[in-house]
Amino acid sequence: MLPEKFLERMQEMLGGEYEPFLQSLGEDRQQALRVNPLKRPEQAGQEGWAEELLSRSFNMTNVSWEKSGYYYAGIDQPGRHPYHEAGLYYIQEPSAMAVAPLVEVKPGEKILDLCAAPGGKSTQLAGYLQGEGLLVSNEIHPARARILSENIERMGVRNACVTNETPARLAEVFVEYFDRILVDAPCSGEGMFRKNETACEEWSPENVELCAGRQDEILDCAAQMLRPGGRLVYSTCTFAPQENEGSVSRFLERHEEFNLLPIDKERMGVPAEICDGRPEWGNGDEALRGTLRLWPHVICGEGHFAAVLQKEKGGNLPEGYDPISAGGLERGIAEKDRDLAPWWEFWRENGGEVLPFSGIFLRFGDNLYLAPEGMPALKGLKVLRPGLHLGTFKKNRFEPSHALALALSPAQVRYVCRLSAQEAAAAAYLNGQTFPWEGEKGWYLITVDGCSIGWGKLAGGVMKNHYPRGLRKNG
């Protein structure tokens, strides 16, 4: 049952579009997945290999606004497939895929996803970065931040720092620091009513107003953290004018240094007139037509809103501009430090002389991380994942992490155990079982159809299982 006051407002907003809109909310929702470009095949340069692999298992058609996004049929179950555990794709609502491309990420940049859980848009941004630069993915709620961190790991992201902070706290540390910021703001969730019954049950006009006030605060913090000439993308999954055109209007009134940039709907493959923002739902500024509204009766997906803003203060980025966080840079551990000896011993035996990733080594207790070069100092911040978790020091040896396995390709290690998704050994591995295997003794990267999925350790013809207990199919 949809809230009566919500329906009254939507009828007033949509007029002749109301009946098709209402009918769409009673239809089955669209389902989609997004292929992870960070996963690499065994043979470099093989374009479209993941799509070809997935097409054998799922019925896929392209999502127009994300080249790596694909609708799949209701009979498909990609969440239960070994490819999901390998991080080959992220199951994501199709309209939600429309936001991250608007950030227009370039490899090497400093990116902030301020309200990042559960991680769909963060992992999408990470794919655009191609392992270069820095992605700070933040979530204020601890439980949701842990889910975010897990998804960052599953997708093999190496250059992300996952934080569990308030926007205000981050704004103290990262003054005019980021090149681009995404604010996928907490909202009343009206665009997810078809997908999430809880959002419908929790809706009220008062909650809409509460969300709008919270969005104002978050956007003000984002404004402080964006460097001159930087790009800020604001999005919600609601239809409420107060939280969409209203939030953008109020922000521009508070921040004269920002301009609203138009979104090219034609390039996205959506109808401009219907998917344009509405000036009358904001402060009347015609520039609001350049914002984006995705409607479930118009596109194959749920409801979404997005706006692109540019910080013009000081014009374009000054020559030689090099933002530094309040704490400076992380120094890290020197590669030749004796504390790293067990790590290098492991890597020389099972990988090679050179680590295929660049970065700085950070140690937290017994855990070793490889953080992106130029990593800001993390002291005083609540950090769940300061980069790629390499593994754990245990007495006089080093045990590699699951995150490292998912970030590696078969070509980057010495020993590979190649399995097929259809064979029993793959299911046995995901259930935590051992299985027979022949080869040299050592750590093996377990792959499924060329996709890394975890570690195994071979000794005496038996592959010992190192798939994390918490992820095993049998619990």
Side-chain angles (χ1 to χ4, degrees), residues 59-173:
N59 301 281
M60 305 199 310
T61 55
N62 191 245
V63 176
S64 67
W65 44 82
E66 169 52 74
K67 65 179 182 180
S68 298
Y70 296 89
Y71 298 100
Y72 60 86
I75 59 172
D76 295 329
Q77 294 183 315
R80 298 184 180 182
H81 201 284
Y83 297 157
H84 180 267
E85 309 312 313
L88 185 55
Y89 50 78
Y90 190 103
I91 297 174
Q92 188 175 17
E93 195 282 308
S95 68
M97 297 182 192
V99 176
L102 301 175
V103 184
E104 295 190 356
V105 168
K106 296 179 178 62
E109 292 183 321
K110 297 180 178 71
I111 310 296
L112 170 64
D113 187 356
L114 189 51
C115 313
K121 295 179 178 69
S122 263
T123 54
Q124 200 172 359
L125 295 171
Y128 301 148
L129 281 173
Q130 299 174 27
E132 301 176 21
L134 170 68
L135 172 64
V136 176
S137 297
N138 181 70
E139 173 57 45
I140 190 171
H141 299 289
R144 286 172 56 80
R146 286 193 293 273
I147 294 170
L148 167 64
S149 184
E150 290 166 2
N151 280 322
I152 290 286
E153 176 178 289
R154 182 173 62 84
M155 299 295 276
V157 179
R158 307 190 307 268
N159 58 329
C161 175
V162 179
T163 57
N164 173 212
E165 281 293 352
T166 65
R169 173 59 183 143
L170 290 180
E172 294 173 0
V173 176

Side-chain angles (χ1 to χ4, degrees), residues 171-428:
E172 294 173 0
V173 176
F174 298 108
V175 178
E176 294 196 334
Y177 180 83
F178 294 101
D179 298 299
R180 301 171 194 270
I181 297 177
L182 171 59
V183 175
D184 185 42
C187 67
S188 56
E190 296 171 0
M192 295 294 132
F193 280 179
R194 182 166 63 174
K195 177 183 176 184
N196 186 349
E197 291 183 7
T198 303
C200 186
E201 293 167 358
E202 293 177 349
W203 185 91
S204 71
E206 293 76 20
N207 189 44
V208 169
E209 293 295 336
L210 182 67
C211 288
R214 186 183 300 127
Q215 290 153 7
D216 289 349
E217 295 173 5
I218 294 172
L219 280 170
D220 286 346
C221 292
Q224 295 178 54
M225 291 186 277
L226 190 67
R227 55 90 164 162
R231 189 179 185 95
L232 168 62
V233 173
Y234 171 74
S235 68
T236 72
C237 58
T238 192
F239 305 115
Q242 300 100 306
E243 302 179 67
N244 294 335
E245 290 91 346
S247 284
V248 173
S249 297
R250 295 189 302 273
F251 176 79
L252 290 171
E253 288 168 2
R254 297 191 305 274
H255 297 275
E256 295 181 354
E257 72 274 22
F258 277 83
N259 290 331
L260 188 60
L261 302 182
I263 295 171
D264 188 344
K265 283 86 171 183
E266 183 178 352
R267 190 174 71 174
M268 295 179 63
V270 299
E273 290 186 7
I274 298 177
C275 293
D276 280 347
R278 309 291 177 87
E280 65 271 24
W281 294 345
N283 60 5
D285 186 346
E286 280 298 310
L288 289 169
R289 292 196 190 280
T291 61
L292 173 71
R293 275 185 171 270
L294 295 179
W295 301 95
H297 66 292
V298 175
I299 56 104
C300 293
E302 308 303 315
H304 243 79
F305 173 86
V308 179
L309 299 133
Q310 185 169 27
K311 191 174 188 178
E312 296 292 355
K313 177 184 176 183
N316 293 325
L317 186 64
E319 186 177 350
Y321 185 82
D322 185 18
I324 301 294
S325 69
L329 298 176
E330 282 285 356
R331 294 188 176 183
I333 306 170
E335 290 190 13
K336 294 183 179 180
D337 192 297
R338 64 181 182 180
D339 285 348
L340 293 180
W343 151 255
W344 286 118
E345 182 180 355
F346 158 79
W347 184 251
R348 282 192 293 270
E349 289 178 358
N350 304 283
E353 290 298 322
V354 179
L355 186 65
F357 315 137
S358 62
I360 61 171
F361 291 98
L362 299 177
R363 182 168 180 172
F364 293 85
D366 291 329
N367 291 294
L368 182 66
Y369 291 83
L370 189 71
E373 293 176 347
M375 170 70 110
L378 303 174
K379 187 176 181 180
L381 293 176
K382 297 175 186 174
V383 179
L384 277 70
R385 183 177 295 271
L388 175 63
H389 185 209
L390 296 176
T392 308
F393 293 100
K394 295 189 173 183
K395 295 183 180 179
N396 295 321
R397 63 184 178 88
F398 185 85
E399 186 165 302
S401 72
H402 186 57
L404 177 59
L406 293 172
L408 289 165
S409 71
Q412 294 169 331
V413 296
R414 183 160 301 174
Y415 306 119
V416 181
C417 172
R418 295 175 176 85
L419 306 177
S420 165
Q422 281 69 45
E423 66 181 293

